[in-house]
Amino acid sequence: MDGTARQHHVVVGGSAAGIAAALSMRQHGFQGQVTVVEAGGELPYERPPLSKALTEAAPAFARPIVPESVYTEQRVDLRLGTRVLALEPASRAVVLDDGRTLHADRVLLATGVIPLTLSVPGAGLTGVVTLRDARDARVLAARLRRGGPLVVVGGGFIGLEVAAVAREAGLDVTVAELGALPLEGPLGAVLAQRVTDLHRGAGVRLRTGVSVAGFTGSGEVSGVRLTTGEVLAAATVVVGVGVRPDTSLAERAGVRCDRGIVVDQYCRTSEPWILAAGDVTNQPHPLLTARGRIEHWDNAQRQGAVAGAVMAGAPRPHTALPYFYSEQFGMTLQMYGRPCPDDEFVLRRDDPAATDGGFLGFWTRRNTLVAAAGMNRPGDLRAARVLIERRVRVDAPSLASSATDLRALARAPMPSCTPERPVASSAATTPATPGREENQ
């Protein structure tokens, strides 16, 4: 009999990371019992469509991560509508809200994040909503069907996606953003301006450098009062001002937390019995200069798969390059890697033949490509990913020129040694600063 056959592993959270971990355990030969405990009552579902399908005729807000039959086939005990109240490391017990207690040889925390709200007058009015789960999406979709105006507070990825789908449906839309430009944190000023121009060109109104003083209305929201004194008319308000990691279970179990659950590259926490994966984790990465939380769907799935392999006794580190995508006005924004404030930014000159409004930008550090982002440039970005992962040295003029074939560079064999000659700098040197990211 396999040595793991008598073991029981419990996953807390039916998220992208949690489900990836449960299935990864089976893929790596774990023969014991696998239980996923999910507080929500719906089959675990994909979250990216929540902000992208709001105005569809029959929006699929709860598209399953895998069909229900997979849980049976893979012998995964999925317990929906059940919340974990506590973890007891001394007895290796998982205490549930239905009165039962599970014994677990190992536990994976995939508890995700919680949307931040605004503590201002009127924050409790009907129509002031956040968007985190399928229930939120259904409420918001129903309100959008009633018409606008819509005010989005916060110009992050989710906020801009909501603004885009609402504007495409013909609603009057305003985005209020505290920063100088939406997405300036992750993208830098040059690319953030391109995204801003896309929204303004589609008729979205933007108020930047402002914050919210309160919401007006009687029962139902009717307006958003800015700190400038301006009042924006609103039938619905979406608050997208960031998230906080849900570390409550981990903290009560004595797990080290610091702006998230602190893990190593193998998803191990300070408590040997407990692992963690997904948006909730503060993780290191070999291609990044500092550890941090990466709040994106792709990272959660990949990190969850690593956690599952580790729990199955087939340890491997989490090294997948951070990636995100966002869909706005029929355009796809993608990014690989994460830049630092001191990195050099290089904007690729537009190809004269390109008419789709897309763009491509790069960040280099000591003449080595470390991050790339673009709109409607999937092929080039896939090539850039290879260059980043291989730590390829590419000079700024080459990156700036649309004549440079990135895919050919990515296919080239690795040199036996790294050239030491100086590399010219680009004139476009606006660096991005790391900022809040939302799960896409």
Side-chain angles (χ1 to χ4, degrees), residues 42-301:
E42 299 183 80
L43 199 66
Y45 55 86
E46 299 179 358
R47 292 186 183 268
L50 297 184
S51 56
K52 300 174 176 66
L54 288 164
T55 56
E56 292 180 3
F61 290 132
R63 187 170 65 199
I65 296 174
V66 295
E68 188 172 9
S69 59
V70 172
Y71 298 102
T72 301
E73 295 165 1
Q74 296 298 315
R75 296 182 295 115
V76 173
D77 180 11
L78 179 62
R79 302 194 181 191
L80 301 176
T82 306
R83 187 176 299 277
V84 175
L85 297 180
L87 303 176
E88 299 177 355
S91 58
R92 298 206 168 186
V94 180
V95 182
L96 308 181
D97 66 353
D98 61 5
R100 290 179 291 178
T101 297
L102 305 177
H103 170 81
D105 293 280
R106 301 194 90 172
V107 168
L108 173 72
L109 293 176
T111 48
V113 292
I114 300 170
L116 298 176
T117 56
L118 295 174
S119 299
V120 298
L125 289 170
T126 300
V128 179
V129 302
T130 57
L131 178 58
R132 188 59 194 168
D133 56 29
R135 180 177 55 185
D136 294 338
R138 293 187 184 104
V139 169
L140 178 55
R143 296 194 68 86
L144 295 182
R145 284 195 291 270
R146 291 162 48 182
L150 169 70
V151 175
V152 178
V153 180
F157 293 109
I158 288 179
L160 291 187
E161 287 182 354
V162 172
V165 296
R167 184 68 195 124
E168 286 180 311
L171 275 68
D172 179 284
V173 179
T174 302
V175 175
E177 163 61 30
L178 179 62
L181 289 169
L183 299 183
E184 185 173 5
L187 294 181
V190 173
L191 299 191
Q193 186 64 61
R194 293 287 188 105
V195 176
T196 297
D197 292 344
L198 175 66
H199 278 259
R200 284 190 168 135
V204 175
R205 298 185 182 90
L206 285 112
R207 299 290 189 273
T208 57
V210 299
S211 57
V212 173
F215 302 104
T216 64
S218 177
E220 288 260 349
V221 69
S222 62
V224 179
R225 187 181 303 280
L226 304 179
T227 49
T228 59
E230 180 183 8
V231 177
L232 306 174
T236 301
V237 177
V238 176
V239 177
V241 294
V243 295
R244 62 178 177 84
D246 187 356
T247 59
S248 56
L249 271 178
E251 290 173 359
R252 294 199 301 272
V255 174
R256 182 189 171 204
C257 296
D258 178 13
R259 294 166 296 172
I261 301 175
V262 176
V263 298
D264 63 13
Q265 279 189 264
Y266 295 87
C267 302
R268 298 175 298 204
T269 73
S270 60
E271 168 56 57
W273 175 60
I274 299 173
L275 291 85
D279 295 1
V280 73
T281 61
N282 180 338
Q283 55 185 284
H285 194 283
L287 294 178
L288 304 182
T289 59
R291 63 164 51 245
R293 284 192 299 111
I294 301 173
E295 298 163 11
H296 294 297
W297 180 261
D298 179 80
N299 178 78
Q301 286 189 309

Side-chain angles (χ1 to χ4, degrees), residues 345-416:
F345 175 74
V346 182
L347 178 67
R348 171 157 285 205
R349 293 188 294 272
D350 293 337
D351 184 339
T355 59
D356 63 353
F359 56 78
L360 190 61
F362 309 93
W363 290 265
T364 64
R365 186 178 308 143
R366 293 185 293 277
N367 304 322
T368 300
L369 189 62
V370 295
M375 186 81 84
N376 279 15
R377 297 291 183 267
D380 286 331
L381 285 168
R382 284 193 296 270
R385 173 185 179 177
V386 174
L387 299 177
I388 295 168
E389 291 174 336
R390 293 170 61 180
R391 295 178 169 87
V392 172
R393 292 168 63 90
V394 187
D395 61 47
S398 295
L399 290 172
S401 173
S402 59
T404 300
D405 188 341
L406 295 176
R407 281 164 272 198
L409 289 177
R411 291 192 298 267
M414 289 289 288
S416 57

Side-chain angles (χ1 to χ4, degrees), residues 304-364:
V306 166
V310 171
M311 296 173 80
R316 57 187 177 90
H318 174 55
T319 60
L321 188 66
Y323 165 79
F324 77 73
Y325 82 96
S326 176
E327 294 175 356
Q328 300 171 34
F329 296 110
M331 308 277 279
T332 301
L333 174 66
Q334 297 171 288
M335 184 172 190
Y336 285 103
R338 273 187 167 184
C340 292
D342 293 335
D343 293 339
E344 180 183 11
F345 175 74
V346 182
L347 178 67
R348 171 157 285 205
R349 293 188 294 272
D350 293 337
D351 184 339
T355 59
D356 63 353
F359 56 78
L360 190 61
F362 309 93
W363 290 265
T364 64

